[in-house]
Structure formats: C-alpha cells, structure tokens
Amino acid sequence: MNPPVSIIVPIYNAEKYIQECIDSILSQTYKDFELILVVDGSKDNSANICDNNSIKDSRIRVIRQSNQGATAARRNGLDIANGEWIHFVDADDTLPKNALANLVEGKDIYDTDFVVGHFGDVPKGPPTEIPLEKWREYCISGEYILPGPVARLIRKSLFNDWTLNIPRNIVKGEDMLMNIRLSFNMTKNPIEVHYKVYNYRQNPESCVHTFIQDAAYEEYYHKLRLLSIPSSFRSRYLKASVHKRLLMLNEIYMNNPLDTRWVDSQFHNDLLDDIKLSSYHIKLKQWLIIRRCSNTLYRKSLNLFVKWDEKIYGFKCRIKSTIKRIIIPFIKQQ
C-alpha cells in the first residue's frame, strides 16, 4: 500500500547539511511517508550520504540526475512519487518534529487540496480556510505567504506539465511561478495550519542570495508571471502584480541607487502604465524611486532618504515585535 505523503528533497552540493535534513524527516512523529532524495549532479559527497541512508531505511529512494536545477529535481521526484500528497524540503533546511503531523491535521479536518504552515512561531489555533481568491492574490503579490515551495502539503493531482515547466535561466523566483500556477489549478480553499512546520536556514552561498537582478531580468520574469495567470484573471489581480513589481524595483534600486539604466526600460514603462490602469495607491518613497529622473544629485538625495526610511521602518518593526513578545504577555499576566 502506498504511503499518503511523498517528501521530495532536491540536493546539490549539500554534504554539510543533508544528513541533518534527513534525520529531521525520519524523526517525524507522523511516519507514513516515503522520502525521495534527488541528487542533482552534486560534485561533493551528497550522493553517498543519501545512498547510505537508503540502506538503513526502506522509505528512502535516491534518484541521481545530471545537474538540471532544483525545479527539474522536484519534477523528476514527482514523476516517481507514490503519495497522494507532496511535501518539498530543501536540502539545507530541517523540519520540526511535528511538522508533517500538523500539516496532515489540516487536510484531515477540511476538504482541501493544499495545506500551508509557517516558518516562524505563531499563536496556536485550529486550522483555518483562506479564500481561494485571496490566496491567489498572495501568490502574485508575494505578501503573507512563504515564498518557496516548502512548508506546505500539496495534493499531487494539482501538478501538471505546466506547473514546473520553468526555464532554467530563472535563477530567482521560480518558486513564485510554481505557486501562482498551482493556485489557478486549485478549486478548493487552501488551509492554513497555525504551527511552525519548517526550519529555514539562511545560506549565504545559495544562488538566491548571491544573484542580483536588474530591470532586464525583471521584465523577462514579469512576462513569465503574466503567462502563469490565466488571461481572464489578469485584470482582477493587476494590483497584486503592481505591488510585487514595485518591491522588485525597490530591490533593484537598493542594489545600485545611482544606476538609472532601468528608468527607460520596458519593465519600468509597463509598470507605470499598470499603476495608472489599476489605480494603485503608490507611496511617497515608491513614487520618488520610479520617477523619470536620472539627475545624480536627485539620486544621491533620494538614496539618503531611502536609507533613513529603511532604518525607521526597521525600528518600528522592532518596537512592534517587543510589544507582541514581551509587553502584551506581561499585561495579560497581571
């Protein structure tokens, strides 16, 4: 009898982390799963570590492939997965002991095809539904939800040839495209479980952290994002798309505030048009950044303003966090 859950781990040069990752999966309180380790052309000892673990535990299967990238590794893992439900884990991360049990609880309580949990500690509570329209908005805007493919339980039938058909040259953001495509394959509300179900490791060596995007990349990426949204839905989610592009433009600016080559890019022009078309309420800082002005003095002054704005925002976040973690619990105890 096939296990209900298939866990897929793409692995590339992860010998420093993979054993800890595997141990955290095998020690789950929920035991009815198979573990598919996809070695994506690793040049280190990752493959041998995986093989040794497969000898010790019959639930583990190992695939070896030439280096094709994480998305292709997940796709190849899906091809041989026996489970009705799919759970992705990255090789340098781990799972809390009750992660699978908490995710499975969500799909057992509700009629759903998708269950999502959290990276951080959250107030405990019963699973709740997220309206599908709101979930699609989250996927497109990048707000609220976890950006990657992890910390969720996905019914295998949601995947098709299109879902993970993402070009290899998409270095950053392939997970968002997958999430968007999955959301439009869904007909039922996703379920949110209010537990930490994933331990994310900040790996400064990963391509996501070393890659610096520019306007040309964002223009190409936006075309793929549009293709991921059915044409009949694009106007409905235009504001969410504008929101995400403004965040990316801010990131481009922060990487090189004096570089103005993007000012006349197609990405910039399309964004200005869509801001007007969607009646998006743009904030002062965003407006100052996207202005068609390449004057050096203006850019230097704007850079100082943005840096101070970032510092003030960070200070506000720390105050809110302190109030939530310390002050509110203290008041409740009185």
Side-chain angles (χ1 to χ4, degrees), residues 22 33 61 100 103 132 140-141 145 158 185 255 272 308:
I22 293 172
F33 62 84
R61 287 191 285 165
L100 285 180
L103 288 167
L132 182 53
I140 296 167
S141 70
I145 71 163
L158 289 182
N185 287 345
N255 287 330
L272 290 174
W308 275 106

Side-chain angles (χ1 to χ4, degrees), residues 88-152:
F88 294 120
V89 180
D90 287 340
D92 50 358
D93 299 330
T94 61
L95 299 182
K97 185 178 293 187
N98 294 320
L100 285 180
N102 290 328
L103 288 167
V104 168
E105 178 189 358
K107 65 101 172 168
D108 286 345
I109 292 177
Y110 287 91
D111 178 22
T112 187
D113 295 325
F114 195 100
V115 184
V116 62
H118 291 266
F119 277 17
D121 293 321
V122 292
K124 302 292 189 296
T128 54
E129 289 186 271
I130 301 175
L132 182 53
E133 185 170 343
K134 178 60 69 175
W135 177 256
R136 289 169 175 165
E137 183 181 311
Y138 290 153
C139 291
I140 296 167
S141 70
E143 283 199 309
Y144 187 71
I145 71 163
L146 306 171
V150 299
R152 55 203 69 190

Side-chain angles (χ1 to χ4, degrees), residues 266-277:
Q266 191 62 46
F267 171 76
H268 185 232
N269 295 336
D270 290 345
L271 177 57
L272 290 174
D273 290 341
D274 287 347
I275 288 172
K276 294 178 182 178
L277 188 61

Side-chain angles (χ1 to χ4, degrees), residues 215-216 218-226 238-239 241-243 245-246 249 262-280 290 292:
E218 286 304 322
E219 181 182 338
Y220 173 59
Y221 184 84
H222 180 58
K223 289 178 181 177
L224 290 176
R225 178 168 44 220
L226 279 180
L238 185 57
K239 279 190 177 181
S241 169
V242 167
H243 178 83
R245 280 180 283 166
L246 284 171
L249 184 56
W262 53 268
V263 169
D264 291 318
S265 67
Q266 191 62 46
F267 171 76
H268 185 232
N269 295 336
D270 290 345
L271 177 57
L272 290 174
D273 290 341
D274 287 347
I275 288 172
K276 294 178 182 178
L277 188 61
S278 64
S279 301
Y280 186 91
I290 67 173
R292 292 187 183 278

Side-chain angles (χ1 to χ4, degrees), residues 28-43:
Q28 289 294 297
T29 56
Y30 180 88
K31 303 292 185 183
D32 200 2
F33 62 84
E34 65 174 353
L35 174 57
I36 301 173
L37 304 173
V38 187
V39 183
D40 182 36
S42 288
K43 299 175 182 178

Side-chain angles (χ1 to χ4, degrees), residues 3 19 24 36 39 56 83 94 140 163 217 253 266 316 331:
Q19 188 60 58
S24 76
I36 301 173
V39 183
K56 299 174 184 177
T94 61
I140 296 167
T163 316
Y217 181 85
Y253 170 82
Q266 191 62 46
K316 288 179 179 178
I331 293 173

